[in-house]
Amino acid sequence: MDKFSEQLDPFKGPFQSLEELADAISETIGCPITIEDANHRILAYSTHDDDVDPARMATIMRRKVPDNVIKSLWKNGVIPKLFDSDEPVIIPAIAEVGLGKRVAISVWKNDEILGFIWGQVTWDITEEELDLFRKAGKVVKNQMLSLKIRKKAGEEGHKDFFWQLLTGHLKDRGKIDSLADKYHLSMNGATGIVVFEFPEEIQQSLERHVNYYIQASSYIKLITSTTDENQLILLVRPFQDEGPSRQIKDFVRDFVEEISSRLGVQELKGAAGTLYRSPVSIRESYKEALYVLSIKDRFKYEASGIYTYQELGVFQFIDDLYEKRIRDGYQNYHLEKLMEYDRKHHSQLLETIDMYLRYDCNVNEASKALHVHANTLNYRLKRIGEITEMDLKDPNQKMTLYLDLKIEQMKK
């Protein structure tokens, strides 16, 4: 008779502690077990042999699941599944964060998650074993309630709620408002996402300095925040009703300048998504902020002074245009003529027209950037017009040429 049919109740108890219960679940199912509260803090873990993965060891050492593991589980849709159901979830290994194969189940009391049970497995889990996880969930619930372990509406609860909004897994306005009230977060009015990307993973000492600066800002009110490796993600609201977009831009720009100067942080980038009046749209604001960062990475010079999605202008559509150009096999005739001329004569007319367009056709500014006399630039522009048969006074032709120059940069 196997372990499933030997006893109708595999977890008889009584158990004096959650550690004792974790060992009992581990012995019955045959895998290392971890019991966490709803904020991913470790409450108990079973004994185990040496064959455990780095994520389990890091969790035990820190007494909490590492943030990079939590974020990876969010992005892979694991935690949303645990939030949506009390059924066991089978989780494939996620090598980049040192997580082996898992089975997890959330522990509920009515409509509130008390915590989670995680089992590290190395085999194809059976339905009988999944049923053991279900039974274990009920026993753990009773044990947690008897020990008066409850989810606290604190910072960690904010983070789970925030990630549900960022990933778009929470769409019901009524539920959003209910959770916002629970965590004492005001979601009324226009809110948006700001993302700061640091060159390295954010350490606690840096986070303290950063939080102080944010709290002291006169531009925005911080609603909640979280980190994702080297990114600091903020949900903010402008302080004033007048000029909200300007306030957000000024906040991001000043933050980058101040933190870079005071703390010596190099290559710090900041970006903001659109301000939306519905919290359901927080996911869109987050995606927009990340897109601004991607543009700043690819077009360092052109986007150096851009901090918000609204400022991107035509760069909002540059990826779509790039894909269309590639799909259609389109080549700009004027651009081809210039590139051919530069190859034959070892000239820099392509660079000249690019700089001229960057500076909005301002001859004085463009000539300074090119380190040439204004007369030299005017001569080159005249030559460019002759070679390309292009009217440099036609704004439509100039805009098309500028976009195709940027697309050429993307190809490289």
Side-chain angles (χ1 to χ4, degrees), residues 314-344:
V314 295
F315 281 103
Q316 291 183 13
F317 319 109
I318 195 70
D319 285 334
D320 294 332
L321 184 56
Y322 173 80
E323 291 175 7
K324 185 178 189 317
R325 289 289 199 244
I326 298 300
R327 186 172 61 248
D328 296 345
Y330 171 86
Q331 293 292 331
N332 186 300
Y333 168 79
H334 307 295
L335 202 55
E336 287 288 301
K337 295 276 284 184
L338 271 186
M339 289 191 289
E340 182 182 352
Y341 185 90
D342 277 347
R343 283 193 296 267
K344 284 184 178 179

Side-chain angles (χ1 to χ4, degrees), residues 157-351:
H158 291 179
K159 289 183 179 180
D160 276 339
F161 173 48
F162 191 21
W163 272 104
Q164 283 181 288
L165 294 172
L166 290 172
T167 56
H169 287 97
L170 195 55
K171 298 183 177 70
D172 182 82
R173 181 61 190 264
K175 190 170 184 180
I176 291 173
D177 290 342
S178 175
L179 287 170
D181 287 343
K182 179 179 180 179
Y183 297 125
H184 309 291
L185 301 176
S186 174
M187 307 295 287
N188 297 323
T191 61
I193 296 296
V194 172
V195 180
F196 293 108
E197 187 170 275
F198 292 78
E200 297 176 351
E201 187 170 347
I202 300 169
Q203 303 299 322
Q204 190 173 16
S205 58
L206 175 61
E207 195 170 355
R208 283 198 297 269
H209 286 284
V210 165
N211 286 337
Y212 174 81
Y213 181 85
I214 293 170
Q215 295 293 345
S217 171
S218 60
Y219 294 116
I220 60 98
K221 177 177 175 57
L222 177 65
I223 299 172
T224 188
S225 66
T226 189
T227 58
D228 185 3
E229 297 181 356
N230 67 326
Q231 291 184 343
L232 174 64
I233 308 166
L234 314 176
L235 178 61
V236 302
R237 174 186 298 109
F239 260 128
Q240 306 295 331
D241 293 334
E242 186 176 347
S245 298
R246 169 61 62 180
Q247 292 175 66
I248 297 297
K249 176 185 176 178
D250 289 347
F251 165 69
V252 178
R253 182 199 60 222
D254 290 358
F255 179 98
V256 171
E257 292 176 357
E258 287 290 326
I259 297 300
S260 297
S261 174
R262 291 185 185 184
L263 304 182
V265 178
Q266 302 300 316
E267 298 183 15
L268 170 61
K269 294 189 289 291
T274 302
L275 294 169
Y276 291 100
R277 292 206 165 269
S278 170
V280 177
S281 299
I282 286 172
R283 177 173 180 262
E284 295 306 314
S285 186
Y286 179 45
K287 288 167 59 179
E288 291 168 355
L290 293 180
Y291 186 71
V292 175
L293 289 175
S294 79
I295 292 294
K296 292 176 79 69
D297 277 336
R298 289 179 286 167
F299 301 98
K300 290 181 170 58
Y301 181 87
E302 295 88 343
S304 60
I306 292 176
Y307 298 100
T308 69
Y309 186 75
Q310 299 300 320
E311 293 178 280
L312 284 178
V314 295
F315 281 103
Q316 291 183 13
F317 319 109
I318 195 70
D319 285 334
D320 294 332
L321 184 56
Y322 173 80
E323 291 175 7
K324 185 178 189 317
R325 289 289 199 244
I326 298 300
R327 186 172 61 248
D328 296 345
Y330 171 86
Q331 293 292 331
N332 186 300
Y333 168 79
H334 307 295
L335 202 55
E336 287 288 301
K337 295 276 284 184
L338 271 186
M339 289 191 289
E340 182 182 352
Y341 185 90
D342 277 347
R343 283 193 296 267
K344 284 184 178 179
H345 299 86
H346 306 289
S347 55
Q348 292 87 38
L349 295 185
L350 198 67
E351 179 190 10

